[in-house]
Amino acid sequence: MIVSLAVAAAVLFATGTYLLLQRQLSRIILGLALLGHGSVVALLVAGGRTGDPPLVDGEPTGTYSDPLVQAMALTAIVITFAVIVFLLALASRSWELTGDDAVEDDTEDRRVAALTGIEELEETFEPAADEREGLDDDADAAPADAPGSALDPAGGAVAP
Amino acid sequence: MTPAPALPIVLALVGAALATLAWQRVRLQRAVSLASLTGALVAAGAMLAATRDGTVLTTEVGGWSADIGIALSVDLTSALLLTVSLATMLAVLVFSIAQRTDDPRVFHPTYLVLTAGVSLAFITGDLFNLFVSFEMLLIASYVLVTLGGRRDQVSHGMTYVVINLLASTLFITTIAFVYAACGTVNLAELGVRFPALDDDLRLALGLLVLTVFGIKAALFPLFSWLPDAYPAAPTPITAIFAGLLTKVGVYALVRSSTSLGLQDLGPILLVAAGLTMVIGVLGAIAQNDVKRILSFHVVSQIGYMVMGLGLFTVAGIAGAILFVIHQIPVKTSLFLVGGLIEAREGTGALDRLGGLARAVPLVAALFVLPALSLAGIPPFSGFVAKLSLIEAGSAAQSYVIVAVSLVGSALTLFSMTKIWAGAFWGAAPEDAPEPAEASDDPTSGRPNHALALAATIGAVGLTVLIAVASGPLYEWSVTAAEQLLAGPSGTVGP
C-alpha cells in the first residue's frame, strides 16, 4: 500500500512538473493542481501503515491509522483548492484582457534581448494579433502585441 | 498582566469578520481596521514587555497537548518582530486610508487577514501551522496584488501566485518528509529528534527547508519573482509587502534552521547571502523606476539577514534579528515616500522627475533618513545593524562575506544617490504635468495628502526610534539569539 502510494505521488509530481513548464496558463494551473495532489499523497504516506479507523466505539484499537497526517492532508487540500480556484479566476481575467491563454514574454527579457541583438525571442513568440482562431493550436500563439502595449509587463520569464 | 499569545491573531480575524459585515460602509470599515490593528499592536507590546527577560509564553490551542495539537509560543524574537511589524502595518493602513487606495470593499478584510497571517507566522511553534500562516498571508497578498485587475497586475500577479503555490507545495512535501522522519511537526520536539537523524537525511531535509523558505524570502537564486510582482500593486500594498512578507520568510528560515540545528548548511547560506546582496543591488543600479529600484533593494537586503544566520553564532543571529527589525520600517517608509512622489508627479520614472528637493523639501527629508539608513550610514539604524553583522562576521573569521557586505553597502549608497539625483536634484522636467490635484484613479473622494504625509512621518519616526533605541534593542537581540540557539524554544513538549 505504501509503495503504491509512493509511486502515485511520484507520477503526480512528474506530470505536474511537466505541465508546469508549459506555456499555457491552463496547463500550468493543472500542473500545480497535480503537484498539490502529489504532496498530499506524500503527506499520507508519511503517516506510515494504514490501520483501523481511530475511533471505533470510542475504544482505541492499538492498530489505528495515524490521524494527524489525515488532518494535515485535509487542511492542505482545502488551501490548495482555494488557491487553484483563485488562479483560475486570474487566468480567466487574463483571457479577458489579452484574449490569450499563453504566458507572455517577460518585458525585461525582451529589453535585454533587444540590447544584445538576439532575435530568438521574436522568433519563438510571434505576434498573432489577427489570428484569434489559431489560439488553441500550439504554444506559438501569442497575445496581441500592439506597439503601444510594449510596456505591458509579462508573467513568466523565458530564457532566450 | 501577560496577554494570551493568540490575542493579535484573534483581534485581527475578528476585525476582518466585522469589516466584511460592514462592507457597504467604508467609514465603519476603517474604524474597525484601525481599532483591531491598534489592539493587536498593544497586545504585541504587552507580550514584548513580558518576554523581555527571556520568558517564553506558550499556549496549547484548544487544550490539545503539543504532540497532537498546535502549540503557540512567543519568545523574544517573535515578540520583537511582531511589535515592529504591527506598528509598520498600522502606519501603512493610515497611509492607505489617506491615499484612498482602500476604497474597494475587500481591502480592509483582506488587510486584516494579512495581519493575522503575519502574526501567526511569528507566534506559531508548529511547522504545519507555519504553513497555514504562510497561506493566510499569501492568499491575502494574492488578492491585494491583483485588486485593480489591470493587465500588468494580472500577469505579474499570476507569476507571484504560481511561484508561491509551487513553494507551498514543496513546503507540504517537506513537512511530509520531516513527519515521516521524526514523527512530529512541533518545532520544539523537532529540535530534539531532528539532530538524531542520519547525516544524509538531515542534509536532504535541510536543503528542502532552505529551498522552501529561500523562495519565500527571495534568496538568490530564487528571487526573480519579486522585482516584477511587487511594483505592480498599489504603493501602500507594495510598501507593506516589501517591508514585511520577505522578512516573514527570513524569520521562518531563522526559526526553522535554529530549531532543526542546520549548522552544516551555514556555508551554503553564506554563499547565497553574498550573491543575494551583490546581485540584488546590481539589479537595482540597472533600473530606472523608483519602485523597481527599491524592489531590487529588498532582495539585496535579504542577503544581510541571511548572512547573520549563516554564521550560526549568537552575535550573527543577533545581528540578523536587529537587521530585520531595522529593515521592516525602513523599507516600508522608502516605498511610502515613493508613493508620495507618484501621487504628486504621476510617475515614478527617474528620467521624468527632478527638482523635488526644492519643491517639496519635507518629502526629500523623509526620503533621506531611511535611504541613508538603508545604506548603513551612521548614526542611523542601518549602521548599527550592519556594524553588528560585520563584527559578528569578523569574529567568526568569515572575512569574505564581510568584504562582500561592505561592497554591497557601497553599491546601495550609490543607487540611493541615483534616486536622489534623479528625483530630488536638478531641474524639474519641462513637460512635467502639473502636480496632480485630483488623481484619475477610480477612488472616492480626494486623497488626503496631509494624512498620507503624517503616516509616512510615522513610519520614518519608527526608524529613527529604532536608531535611538538601538542599544537596548541589540541587547534584546542577543538574548533572543541565545534563546534561538539554545535549542528548543521552550515550546511545550509532550
Side-chain angles (χ1 to χ4, degrees), chain B residues 141-212:
Chain B
S141 73
Y142 301 155
V143 175
L144 290 173
V145 164
T146 55
L147 202 53
R150 290 198 322 267
R151 182 169 166 177
D152 61 325
Q153 286 181 328
V154 169
S155 62
H156 286 155
M158 187 70 87
T159 320
Y160 178 67
V161 180
V162 166
I163 289 276
N164 275 299
L165 185 54
L166 180 64
S168 301
T169 313
L170 268 180
F171 198 173
I172 301 174
T173 316
T174 311
I175 290 171
F177 291 164
V178 168
Y179 187 78
C182 301
T184 181
V185 284
N186 181 282
L187 281 172
E189 189 57 25
L190 277 176
V192 178
R193 296 192 199 173
F194 193 82
L197 299 174
D198 281 354
D199 279 354
D200 299 343
L201 190 55
R202 276 195 302 140
L203 181 66
L205 290 178
L207 284 175
L208 263 176
V209 169
L210 189 59
T211 312
V212 169

Side-chain angles (χ1 to χ4, degrees), chain B residues 224-300:
Chain B
S224 54
W225 55 272
L226 189 146
D228 274 341
Y230 279 11
T235 306
I237 304 301
T238 314
I240 203 64
F241 283 12
L244 269 184
L245 295 196
T246 46
K247 278 64 179 182
V248 180
V250 172
Y251 166 79
L253 194 58
V254 170
R255 171 71 69 189
S256 56
S257 0
T258 50
S259 294
L260 300 181
L262 299 177
Q263 286 88 341
D264 304 347
L265 294 181
I268 301 179
L269 282 173
L270 284 182
V271 171
L275 288 169
T276 310
M277 289 174 203
V278 174
I279 291 178
V281 79
L282 289 180
I285 289 173
Q287 298 297 321
N288 183 44
D289 183 89
V290 175
K291 274 161 89 177
R292 280 188 71 90
I293 293 179
L294 292 174
S295 293
F296 272 98
H297 275 297
V298 174
V299 176
S300 170

Side-chain angles (χ1 to χ4, degrees), chain B residues 1-5 43-44 46-51 54-60 71-76 78-79 123 483 489-492:
Chain B
M1 190 203 86
T2 53
M47 284 196 280
L48 180 60
T51 55
T55 333
V56 180
L57 306 174
T58 49
T59 311
E60 291 168 335
L72 299 181
S73 128
V74 184
D75 60 6
L76 191 48
S78 316
I123 283 173
Q483 261 180 343
S489 54
T491 316
V492 191

Side-chain angles (χ1 to χ4, degrees), chain A residues 1-11 41 45:
Chain A
M1 186 62 188
I2 285 188
V3 174
S4 54
L5 274 181
V7 171
V11 170
V41 174
V45 177

